[in-house]
Amino acid sequence: MARPPRFLTKGRLRTLLLFAVVTVAWAVALPRMRVDMSIAHFLPETQDPRLAGILRALAESDMASTTVVDIEGGDEDGRVATARALMEKLGTLGDTKEARSGFAESEERALFDFFAQYPPSAFLPTAAFDGPALAERVLALKTELGGPMGPVVRLTAPRDPLGASLGVLQTLRREQGGATISRNGVLLTEDGAHAFVFVTPRGNAFDADVQRRSLAEVTRVFEEVKATKDLHFELSGVSRYTIHSEEHIRGDISRIGTVSTLGILVLFGVMFRSPRMLLLGLVPIFFGSMVATLGCYLIFGRVHGLTIAFGTSLLGVGIDYAEHYYAHFALEPEVGALPMMKRVWPGLYMGALTTVAGLIGLAWADFPGALQMAVFSALAVLGALVGTRLLMPPWMPVSYTRPPLPAKLECTAERLLAVLSRYRRWPWLPVALTLLTGFGLLRLRFSDDMNALLDMDPAIIAEDVRVRDRLTHADPGRFAVVIAADEERALADLSLAHDELVGAEKEGIVGHFIPLGAILRSARAQGDSLALAKSRLPDLRAALAKQGFHTELFAPYESALEHPEKTVVTLEDVLRSPMGKLVRPLAPHVGSQQAFVMPLTEVHSLTELRRRVPHALIVDETTLLADTYGHVRGRVMSLIVLGLVFVFGLLYARY
């Protein structure tokens, strides 16, 4: 009596071991691997590599990660109290890097203590010590003593009669918002109807999990601390776009995956009529997915959401290998599962190699994320191929009856080929269709607008615009950027660019810019100002006396010039000071280089501004990205042609 075949043969044990090893490795790697949503990986290399670095630095900076909470409703006291409580409570949470608003009185006092360490000339340009400029500043001092800032001016004037410290403070206030005031450490619109809190989480602007937790905490804490029930808030920032995009990507993957899987199950069920083959056909997809994810973890340490979306769409190729194998096996089951795999294997691996060859060009695209896409997709395809070759044959049914539908389709195909063989000219039909397609391509128009890729909720966009307009009138995405190999050179160029922008502002070419050059100055410039300040002391005494001041009251100024605690203000000093939280996002490092970024407002002519400000790069993100993606599109199309050449070469070598 014949013994029934064993369920766990050596071949099946080997496949189980292979599948288990990959599954365990994947399960260990998956929790450790970050799914990144940062757009920085898909920002293209521009023709100027400095601009590419700056765009990436800005995309991953605290400035990009910060969400603006706009509190409205109730009365002004309630808004201020709620904003202060919100900052205090959020600041204690581990996920919050910083929660801030306007300058508090304690911060302003700390700022003046910071100024007291340096000579007042450190924050003044050399032009401030010319005769007419000295007279103008002394007159301004007399005017301000009788104004609303009088009490503060009386405290600072003996050591700083030219108003350097107050000028920096006003610059910082303007940086926070174009038309805002500060009350009790809270930034408000000029009419007091809106209070603003800036929340920066610990994490990347495009990390959807980080941003989702941060916004959830903002909502929860706001409900706990709001002073009255009629208070509510609106939001502005990248965070909501990140969350919305991530949810759409996840939804698309889930929806496409579900529909595709159901379609495959129905097709396999109808065609092959075997529950075992139906479930077995999904193995290459899962195996390829695990191999691709594990490979990206080992190579990159993280995977981008768009990489997963792109690679997952290619996993459908993996089911083609199982389908091709099944179709031959169903027509000739008597051949056996393993012999049939050996028979169809050349066609399967050639299909996989041509797919991978088509992806090779993607690795040379002008944005870093393309390499990850190419690696993930190639590993997914090769993993699916290996899964089909090694995992499927040992588990195929031993006794299998040829199903009727594949046989009918085979007979229909044979009759169709027989009919076509009677007409010698029918092969010209594909050529004609190809030419017709070519005429269609001539009418094709490309769009390089990145906004076309976004399917955002109009309500979110409208809310974001409302909050930004209340806070500042800066043109989003327009900057003057200075970048150099070292800090001193960058600071020197910043001073030159600052002076050029001041001239452009006077000419009406630009409405306003953040005068970073008034805060950050090179060591050489500070030294020149200090020497000039000392030499112009007699002129200053004369100007003070002319306006009726007792010159002996300003002895602290002369002492600060002669015996300062520190001579030069460095960038590191500024970043450690109360100014640091506002200056840091505008002073990013781009690789080994130091950059400074000055947001621009109401630019009337980019061409004229670039001509007028040669010491800075004038960046318009929208135009730059559109031009750059146009360049990338042309390059990618060339790479597609290169991929087709690789495919043709493989097929020619094989056949």
Side-chain angles (χ1 to χ4, degrees):
M1 182 177 178
R3 295 174 60 186
R6 290 186 303 147
F7 179 74
L8 288 177
T9 62
K10 289 183 178 180
R12 289 182 175 182
L13 284 172
R14 283 194 293 267
T15 61
L16 286 175
L17 179 61
L18 174 61
F19 194 82
V21 168
V22 174
T23 302
V24 170
W26 172 79
V28 171
L30 192 63
R32 293 172 169 80
M33 185 173 66
R34 288 178 52 208
V35 177
D36 194 0
M37 295 300 298
S38 175
I39 196 175
H41 300 292
F42 291 90
L43 290 174
E45 297 290 346
T46 65
Q47 295 177 354
D48 187 339
R50 298 175 300 172
L51 290 178
I54 290 166
L55 289 177
R56 292 193 183 95
L58 290 175
E60 296 185 331
S61 68
D62 286 348
M63 182 168 59
S65 184
T66 297
T67 295
V68 182
V69 183
D70 177 357
I71 302 171
E72 56 184 341
D75 57 18
E76 184 174 326
D77 290 338
R79 289 189 288 274
V80 171
T82 301
R84 289 179 63 87
L86 185 65
M87 282 190 290
E88 182 178 349
K89 193 72 177 289
L90 288 174
T92 63
L93 301 179
D95 287 339
T96 303
K97 184 175 184 178
E98 184 179 58
R100 60 179 176 86
S101 186
F103 267 97
E105 290 183 10
S106 60
E107 290 179 302
E108 291 189 358
R109 286 194 296 271
L111 190 59
F112 286 120
D113 291 340
F114 171 76
F115 292 142
Q117 302 176 62
Y118 305 94
S121 58
F123 296 99
L124 288 173
T126 53
F129 302 99
D130 293 340
L134 277 177
E136 186 178 338
R137 284 180 175 267
V138 170
L139 180 60
L141 170 63
K142 185 176 182 179
T143 303
E144 289 169 352
L145 283 169
M149 290 290 291
V152 177
V153 176
R154 288 187 186 92
L155 293 174
T156 61
R159 190 184 182 279
D160 184 17
L162 300 182
S165 56
L166 286 177
V168 172
L169 180 60
Q170 290 169 352
T171 296
L172 295 173
R173 285 175 172 173
R174 290 177 70 186
E175 182 182 331
Q176 293 181 97
T180 57
I181 58 174
S182 187
R183 176 186 164 194
N184 294 334
V186 174
L187 201 67
L188 301 165
T189 51
E190 288 181 316
D191 60 5
H194 298 266
F196 301 101
V197 174
F198 304 88
V199 182
T200 306
R202 297 185 186 278
N204 191 284
F206 302 96
D207 189 325
D209 290 336
V210 167
Q211 297 295 341
R212 188 180 291 108
R213 288 198 305 270
S214 177
L215 293 192
E217 290 295 339
V218 168
T219 303
R220 180 185 65 81
V221 173
F222 181 83
E223 292 300 322
E224 291 178 1
V225 304
K226 66 180 182 180
T228 57
K229 292 183 178 179
D230 54 348
L231 284 172
H232 59 280
F233 66 83
E234 291 188 325
L235 300 171
S236 173
V238 176
S239 56
R240 299 178 78 187
Y241 296 96
T242 297
I243 294 169
H244 185 85
S245 299
E246 190 251 10
E247 289 174 350
H248 266 248
I249 289 175
R250 288 185 184 273
D252 288 344
I253 292 174
S254 176
R255 182 169 54 257
I256 294 171
T258 301
V259 172
S260 300
T261 302
L262 289 175
I264 290 169
L265 292 176
V266 171
L267 177 63
F268 277 34
V270 171
M271 285 289 293
F272 306 116
R273 295 191 176 185
S274 170
R276 178 190 295 187
M277 291 170 64
L278 187 148
L279 296 175
L280 192 59
L282 300 177
V283 169
I285 293 180
F286 292 126
F287 192 77
S289 177
M290 289 190 295
V291 168
T293 306
L294 186 59
C296 275
Y297 170 71
L298 295 175
I299 297 171
F300 304 106
R302 60 184 177 179
V303 64
H304 197 280
L306 290 178
T307 298
I308 296 176
F310 180 78
T312 303
S313 66
L314 279 182
L315 276 174
V317 175
I319 200 68
D320 292 345
Y321 307 142
E323 184 181 0
H324 183 75
Y325 173 51
Y326 280 176
H328 284 268
F329 178 80
L331 290 172
E332 299 180 83
E334 65 277 4
V335 173
L338 187 57
M340 183 57 73
M341 175 58 73
K342 292 179 179 179
R343 181 187 294 183
V344 302
W345 175 244
L348 295 183
Y349 80 72
M350 280 304 301
L353 288 180
T354 52
T355 302
V356 171
L359 292 168
I360 286 176
L362 194 61
W364 280 276
D366 285 339
F367 47 90
L371 175 61
Q372 192 183 89
M373 275 187 171
V375 170
F376 186 95
S377 303
L379 289 176
V381 169
L382 294 176
L385 177 70
V386 172
T388 304
R389 176 65 178 87
L390 300 181
L391 302 181
M392 292 183 67
W395 295 90
M396 291 289 285
V398 177
S399 299
Y400 182 74
T401 303
R402 180 177 181 179
L405 184 57
K408 291 180 180 179
L409 291 175
E410 182 187 30
C411 292
T412 302
E414 287 177 348
R415 287 197 295 270
L416 178 62
L417 288 173
V419 171
L420 290 175
S421 65
R422 299 172 190 169
Y423 302 95
R424 294 179 177 270
R425 296 181 179 179
W426 76 265
W428 287 102
L429 180 61
V431 176
L433 292 175
T434 301
L435 293 175
L436 184 63
T437 304
F439 286 117
L441 289 175
L442 295 176
R443 301 185 60 186
L444 191 64
R445 295 294 179 267
F446 293 98
S447 173
D448 299 314
D449 183 5
M450 282 193 67
N451 292 324
L453 297 174
L454 300 176
D455 183 19
M456 293 301 301
D457 185 345
I460 293 177
I461 298 174
E463 181 179 331
D464 184 79
V465 171
R466 283 197 303 271
V467 175
R468 278 194 286 107
D469 285 345
R470 291 167 191 153
L471 181 63
T472 178
H473 299 301
D475 297 349
R478 288 185 169 179
F479 309 96
V481 180
V482 171
I483 185 169
D486 59 81
E487 179 183 315
E488 182 67 12
R489 180 68 233 172
L491 287 169
D493 288 345
L494 177 64
S495 294
L496 295 172
H498 172 87
D499 293 341
E500 292 163 355
L501 283 167
V502 169
E505 187 177 30
K506 290 178 180 178
E507 295 174 15
I509 301 171
V510 60
H512 175 64
F513 68 99
I514 299 300
L516 206 57
I519 303 171
L520 303 173
R521 305 181 68 220
S522 67
R524 180 175 179 178
Q526 293 181 57
D528 291 343
S529 291
L530 179 58
L532 198 56
K534 291 178 181 179
S535 67
R536 295 296 172 85
L537 280 174
D539 296 336
L540 176 61
R541 294 190 195 104
L544 288 168
K546 185 177 180 180
Q547 295 298 329
F549 289 106
H550 295 287
T551 57
E552 64 271 12
L553 296 177
F554 299 93
Y557 171 74
E558 299 186 18
S559 177
L561 293 179
E562 297 293 343
H563 309 290
E565 184 178 332
K566 298 179 181 179
T567 306
V568 175
V569 185
T570 66
L571 175 59
E572 188 61 31
D573 292 336
V574 172
L575 296 180
R576 285 200 300 262
S577 76
M579 295 185 283
K581 62 184 180 183
L582 299 177
V583 173
R584 186 173 292 105
L586 303 179
H589 283 280
V590 179
S592 61
Q593 296 182 303
Q594 177 65 58
F596 296 106
V597 181
M598 292 173 282
L600 304 174
T601 299
E602 298 176 3
V603 177
H604 299 292
S605 171
L606 285 169
T607 303
E608 184 62 23
L609 187 62
R610 289 186 176 112
R611 186 193 66 79
R612 188 69 177 77
V613 187
H615 286 92
L617 298 168
I618 305 301
V619 179
D620 176 50
E621 283 186 340
T622 302
T623 304
L624 175 65
L625 289 175
D627 292 345
T628 304
Y629 275 103
H631 166 73
V632 170
R633 170 175 48 78
R635 180 175 174 83
V636 167
M637 294 182 70
S638 300
L639 293 174
I640 289 173
V641 174
L642 179 63
L644 292 175
V645 171
F646 285 152
V647 171
F648 177 81
L650 280 172
L651 294 175
Y652 184 82
R654 173 67 178 84
Y655 297 112

